[in-house]
């Protein structure tokens, strides 16, 4: 019986070593996982804070020298001074229709168009820039005082295919002007302006801002040459806007161009269309947000450089938009609105309270579980101490053999308890040290009895 009992001891020692090795492996795995997490966190932080080249937006701004081109050129200079993240490349184009085509092809990132320009589904709005005003300018001696009188005179209109050309026939359609009975010529504004001053034509139709430099020069030249010019009112502008909702009404104030002999001589009602800045839906939201921020936060700087910048505004969503807002522009416009956390402070606070209670309960349960594991480990240790005490008092080898069997059984029980998480790895380590000590006590006592 003595030999049989003794033969079990090496097997039990192997089990102890295996359990100990498993604990070391678990700790090594946890250390490696934490090391990888730390390296990943540092690497991610370095990547996010790396030196980045500024994002460049190419913007189709209309004809070179136009209001839109000049305004966006000034925006480019302000962006250069106030942003490290963004740069603008301003490209001259024919008109809004070409800008939409270039957007669709991906050749430009943003564009200036009229609010009545047909767009495709992935075009998004950024900001309203300024209004372009419908203007019918006539010589003072021309026999025309209303829009319907245009059938009696010669008039220059914008070139074929342009936005201005289509706008003229919007007015003509509303007033039922007979196209075949009118004397009109489609040509560039500068040619029409020269003909108007020279008396070759009686009137000029154009769609542009009231601060447009070629328009201002037209009135300056007329004043120098003592040529009287006046405006025809578009008295039914509100009715036109009902039919064409992307057009608005406007008013050309008395003396807008000259004050001593005011031109126009009185406030003149007319139609207008807004120039808006648009982009593609897939353009980087952060770049669009930065562009929107620069335009609005530095509007005074822009206005000093170019008076039309004072008209830059956020689209009025309550009146409906010709195109939906880009998410980057929307993020800037919503910057002062309460965040999700602010809007839902009370339910979130309740959720945090409930979560805290749940976590407290879980920690309490875990504490009780760990305490239970420790108590169970203490019981096994007390059993070992009792075996050690019996071994020291034993006088017969048979008694020691029985104690070895008890020692082996306790080890098997504790290994199973470790496997089922009834004792912790740390408790098992303490148990294994005490178990080795008790086994040595039995072996020493066995040698003493034999001698």
């Amino acid at each position: 019986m003595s030999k049989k009992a003794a033969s079990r001891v090496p097997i039990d020692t192997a089990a102890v070593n295996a359990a100990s090795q498993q604990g070391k492996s678990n700790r090594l795995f946890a250390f490696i996982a934490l090391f990888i997490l730390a390296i990943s966190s540092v690497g991610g932080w370095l990547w996010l804070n790396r030196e980045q080249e500024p994002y460049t937006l190419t913007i189709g701004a209309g004809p070179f020298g136009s209001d839109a081109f000049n305004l966006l050129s000034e925006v480019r200079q302000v962006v250069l001074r106030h942003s490290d993240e963004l740069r603008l490349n301003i490209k001259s184009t024919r008109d809004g229709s070409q800008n939409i085509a270039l957007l669709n092809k991906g050749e430009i990132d943003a564009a200036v168009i009229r609010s009545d320009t047909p767009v495709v589904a992935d075009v998004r709005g950024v900001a309203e820039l300024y209004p372009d005003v419908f203007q019918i300018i006539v010589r003072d001696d021309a026999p025309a005082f209303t829009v319907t009188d245009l059938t009696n005179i010669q008039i220059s209109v914008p070139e074929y295919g342009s936005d201005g050309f289509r706008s003229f026939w919007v007015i003509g359609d509303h007033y039922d002007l007979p196209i075949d009975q009118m004397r009109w010529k489609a040509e560039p504004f500068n040619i029409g302006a020269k003909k108007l001053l020279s008396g070759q034509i009686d009137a000029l139709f154009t769609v542009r801002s009231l601060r447009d430099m070629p328009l201002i020069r037209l009135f300056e030249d007329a004043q120098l040459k003592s040529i009287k010019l006046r405006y025809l009112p578009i008295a039914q502008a509100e009715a036109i806007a009902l039919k064409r909702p992307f057009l608005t009404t406007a008013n050309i104030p008395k003396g807008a161009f000259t004050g001593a002999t005011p031109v126009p001589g009185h406030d003149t009602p007319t139609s207008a269309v807004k120039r808006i800045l648009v982009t593609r839906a897939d353009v980087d939201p952060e770049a669009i947000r930065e562009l929107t921020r620069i335009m609005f936060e530095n509007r005074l700087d822009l206005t000093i450089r170019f008076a039309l910048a004072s008209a830059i505004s956020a689209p009025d969503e309550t009146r409906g938009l010709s195109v939906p807002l880009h998410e980057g522009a929307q993020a800037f416009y919503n910057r002062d609105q309460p965040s999700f956390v602010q809007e839902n402070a009370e339910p979130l606070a309740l959720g945090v309270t409930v979560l805290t209670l749940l976590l407290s309960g879980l920690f309490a349960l875990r504490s009780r579980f760990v305490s239970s594991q420790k108590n169970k480990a203490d019981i096994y240790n007390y059993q070992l101490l009792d075996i050690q005490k019996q071994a020291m008092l034993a006088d017969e080898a048979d008694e020691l053999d029985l104690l070895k069997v008890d020692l082996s059984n306790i080890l098997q029980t504790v290994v199973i308890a470790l496997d089922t998480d009834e004792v912790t790895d740390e408790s098992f380590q303490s148990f294994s040290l005490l178990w080795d000590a008790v086994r040595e006590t039995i072996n020493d006592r066995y040698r003493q009895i034999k001698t």
Side-chain angles (χ1 to χ4, degrees), residues 359-377 421-424:
L359 289 175
S360 298
L362 289 174
F363 281 125
L365 287 174
R366 182 181 181 280
S367 178
R368 291 185 61 183
F369 180 67
V370 171
S371 177
S372 174
Q373 289 178 314
K374 183 179 182 301
N375 291 338
K376 188 157 289 190
D421 292 329
E422 294 180 24
V423 297
T424 64

Side-chain angles (χ1 to χ4, degrees), residues 382-395:
Y382 290 143
Q383 291 177 357
L384 288 177
L385 292 174
D386 185 60
I387 292 173
Q388 186 180 44
K389 182 178 180 181
Q390 293 181 48
M392 294 173 67
L393 298 174
D395 295 324

